[in-house]
Short mmCIF file of all heavy atoms in Angstrom, two decimals:
data_model
loop_
_atom_site.label_atom_id
_atom_site.label_comp_id
_atom_site.label_asym_id
_atom_site.label_seq_id
_atom_site.Cartn_x
_atom_site.Cartn_y
_atom_site.Cartn_z
N LYS A 1066 -8.75 2.46 9.01
CA LYS A 1066 -8.71 3.82 9.54
C LYS A 1066 -8.29 3.66 11.08
O LYS A 1066 -8.79 2.94 11.77
CB LYS A 1066 -9.97 4.69 9.45
CG LYS A 1066 -10.10 5.20 8.01
CD LYS A 1066 -11.32 6.03 7.92
CE LYS A 1066 -11.50 6.75 6.60
NZ LYS A 1066 -12.71 7.45 6.36
N GLY A 1067 -7.27 4.49 11.50
CA GLY A 1067 -6.90 4.44 12.87
C GLY A 1067 -5.88 3.40 13.25
O GLY A 1067 -5.37 3.39 14.29
N ARG A 1068 -5.60 2.33 12.30
CA ARG A 1068 -4.83 1.31 12.60
C ARG A 1068 -3.53 1.38 11.60
O ARG A 1068 -2.50 0.96 11.94
CB ARG A 1068 -5.48 0.01 12.41
CG ARG A 1068 -6.67 -0.24 13.31
CD ARG A 1068 -7.12 -1.60 13.32
NE ARG A 1068 -7.69 -1.96 12.10
CZ ARG A 1068 -7.29 -3.08 11.30
NH1 ARG A 1068 -6.28 -3.81 11.74
NH2 ARG A 1068 -7.84 -3.37 10.17
N PHE A 1069 -3.73 1.73 10.35
CA PHE A 1069 -2.75 1.74 9.29
C PHE A 1069 -2.36 3.13 8.99
O PHE A 1069 -3.17 4.12 8.97
CB PHE A 1069 -3.30 1.06 8.00
CG PHE A 1069 -3.44 -0.33 8.09
CD1 PHE A 1069 -3.50 -1.12 9.22
CD2 PHE A 1069 -3.72 -1.04 6.90
CE1 PHE A 1069 -3.73 -2.49 9.33
CE2 PHE A 1069 -3.99 -2.54 6.89
CZ PHE A 1069 -3.97 -3.15 8.16
N THR A 1070 -0.98 3.31 8.74
CA THR A 1070 -0.53 4.60 8.28
C THR A 1070 0.45 4.45 7.17
O THR A 1070 1.40 3.62 7.18
CB THR A 1070 0.18 5.30 9.49
OG1 THR A 1070 -0.58 5.46 10.56
CG2 THR A 1070 0.66 6.66 9.02
N THR A 1071 0.26 5.24 6.06
CA THR A 1071 1.14 5.23 4.92
C THR A 1071 2.02 6.36 4.83
O THR A 1071 1.47 7.57 5.25
CB THR A 1071 0.41 5.02 3.63
OG1 THR A 1071 1.35 4.73 2.63
CG2 THR A 1071 -0.46 6.21 3.22
N SER A 1072 3.22 6.30 4.42
CA SER A 1072 4.09 7.40 4.35
C SER A 1072 5.16 7.20 3.23
O SER A 1072 5.30 6.04 2.73
CB SER A 1072 4.79 7.52 5.74
OG SER A 1072 5.56 6.42 6.06
N ILE A 1073 5.84 8.16 2.91
CA ILE A 1073 6.81 8.08 1.79
C ILE A 1073 8.15 8.68 2.27
O ILE A 1073 8.20 9.82 2.90
CB ILE A 1073 6.45 8.86 0.46
CG1 ILE A 1073 5.22 8.12 -0.11
CG2 ILE A 1073 7.52 9.14 -0.48
CD1 ILE A 1073 4.79 8.81 -1.43
N ASP A 1074 9.26 8.04 2.01
CA ASP A 1074 10.54 8.55 2.14
C ASP A 1074 11.07 8.82 0.82
O ASP A 1074 11.54 7.96 0.07
CB ASP A 1074 11.51 7.57 2.97
CG ASP A 1074 12.81 8.11 3.21
OD1 ASP A 1074 13.32 9.09 2.47
OD2 ASP A 1074 13.52 7.66 4.10
N ASN A 1075 10.95 10.08 0.37
CA ASN A 1075 11.43 10.47 -1.10
C ASN A 1075 12.95 10.32 -1.29
O ASN A 1075 13.34 10.02 -2.36
CB ASN A 1075 10.90 11.89 -1.35
CG ASN A 1075 9.43 11.92 -1.73
OD1 ASN A 1075 8.93 11.20 -2.40
ND2 ASN A 1075 8.71 12.86 -1.07
N ALA A 1076 13.61 10.47 -0.20
CA ALA A 1076 15.16 10.28 -0.41
C ALA A 1076 15.41 8.81 -0.75
O ALA A 1076 16.50 8.65 -1.35
CB ALA A 1076 15.78 10.67 0.96
N GLU A 1077 14.63 7.90 -0.24
CA GLU A 1077 14.90 6.49 -0.48
C GLU A 1077 14.03 5.96 -1.47
O GLU A 1077 14.04 4.73 -1.86
CB GLU A 1077 14.67 5.77 0.81
CG GLU A 1077 15.65 6.05 1.94
CD GLU A 1077 17.06 5.62 1.61
OE1 GLU A 1077 17.24 4.72 0.83
OE2 GLU A 1077 18.06 6.34 1.98
N ASN A 1078 13.11 6.77 -2.11
CA ASN A 1078 12.13 6.20 -3.08
C ASN A 1078 11.23 5.14 -2.65
O ASN A 1078 11.16 4.14 -3.31
CB ASN A 1078 12.86 5.89 -4.44
CG ASN A 1078 13.56 7.04 -5.05
OD1 ASN A 1078 13.24 8.20 -4.94
ND2 ASN A 1078 14.60 6.70 -5.91
N THR A 1079 10.86 5.20 -1.40
CA THR A 1079 10.27 4.06 -0.64
C THR A 1079 8.94 4.52 -0.04
O THR A 1079 8.97 5.55 0.64
CB THR A 1079 11.21 3.45 0.40
OG1 THR A 1079 12.45 2.95 -0.33
CG2 THR A 1079 10.49 2.23 1.00
N LEU A 1080 7.92 3.70 -0.28
CA LEU A 1080 6.62 3.85 0.35
C LEU A 1080 6.55 2.97 1.45
O LEU A 1080 6.94 1.68 1.30
CB LEU A 1080 5.52 3.58 -0.71
CG LEU A 1080 4.07 3.57 -0.30
CD1 LEU A 1080 3.58 5.00 0.01
CD2 LEU A 1080 3.23 2.97 -1.48
#
Side-chain angles (χ1 to χ4, degrees):
K1066 281 181 180 177
R1068 300 188 298 120
F1069 291 10
T1070 302
T1071 191
S1072 61
I1073 287 180
D1074 184 336
N1075 282 308
E1077 296 293 329
N1078 297 336
T1079 302
L1080 173 73

